Amino acid sequence: DLAIDSEVSTAGRAAGLDVGERYYTRTGAVVVPEGSPISRLSDLAGAAVCTVDGGLAQRWIDGSLDLVDGTAADPPTGARPVVRPSAAACTAAVAEGTAAAYVADWAMDVEPPDAGFTILAEAPFAGAASVAVDRGRPGSAELRSEIDRIVAAMRSDGTLRRLSERR
């Protein structure tokens, strides 16, 4: 009936779920080897770029990222996708030189970066993480509204920040 997760709201997810108010922003990240000539998103043009299969970063690279409440930079022209099953596999692809960079769905997936890697200051995209309720269930609108009220109260009294910092 209710999903409280760190998923970013996309048009596809919003089609099946009643998405509530944002409770935090989830930012993507670009990981490159230390000393890489890549220092900006535009430097990814024409480069081999690793993304996790089915993730937001893969959709950003191919131009199909559909954020509901967020921002995205233009994807790099001519970037060559290197799709792997996990963040660890993408980090390995960068380490071995199969990919020039790894675009992570979430900066927290790569912070702090492993030795030998750098995270670009420029984020490729940032999306809203929100509570989502199955809109097909009776009472779902009321449930989402109540959860939004609770999240707003937690934000107001500092509870949300404390929980986020601990987790």
Side-chain angles (χ1 to χ4, degrees), residues 30-92:
V30 179
V31 179
V32 296
E34 284 181 1
S36 170
I38 297 171
S39 62
R40 299 181 325 231
L41 295 177
S42 61
D43 294 338
L44 295 173
V49 178
C50 194
T51 64
V52 173
D53 191 24
L56 298 172
Q58 183 179 15
R59 289 183 269 162
W60 176 69
I61 288 290
D62 73 19
S64 66
L65 184 58
D66 59 346
L67 297 175
V68 168
D69 184 12
T71 59
D74 290 334
T77 303
R80 298 182 320 272
V82 175
V83 181
R84 296 290 185 260
S86 68
C90 275
T91 303

Side-chain angles (χ1 to χ4, degrees), residues 22 26 54 62 77 87 91 97 99 114 122 144 160:
R22 165 199 311 249
R26 188 170 169 167
D62 73 19
T77 303
T91 303
D114 294 333
E122 193 177 3
R144 198 232 353 110
L160 188 60

Side-chain angles (χ1 to χ4, degrees), residues 3-22:
I4 301 177
D5 197 355
S6 57
E7 292 294 325
V8 170
S9 297
T10 63
R13 291 178 181 142
L17 299 170
D18 183 8
V19 177
E21 296 297 319
R22 165 199 311 249

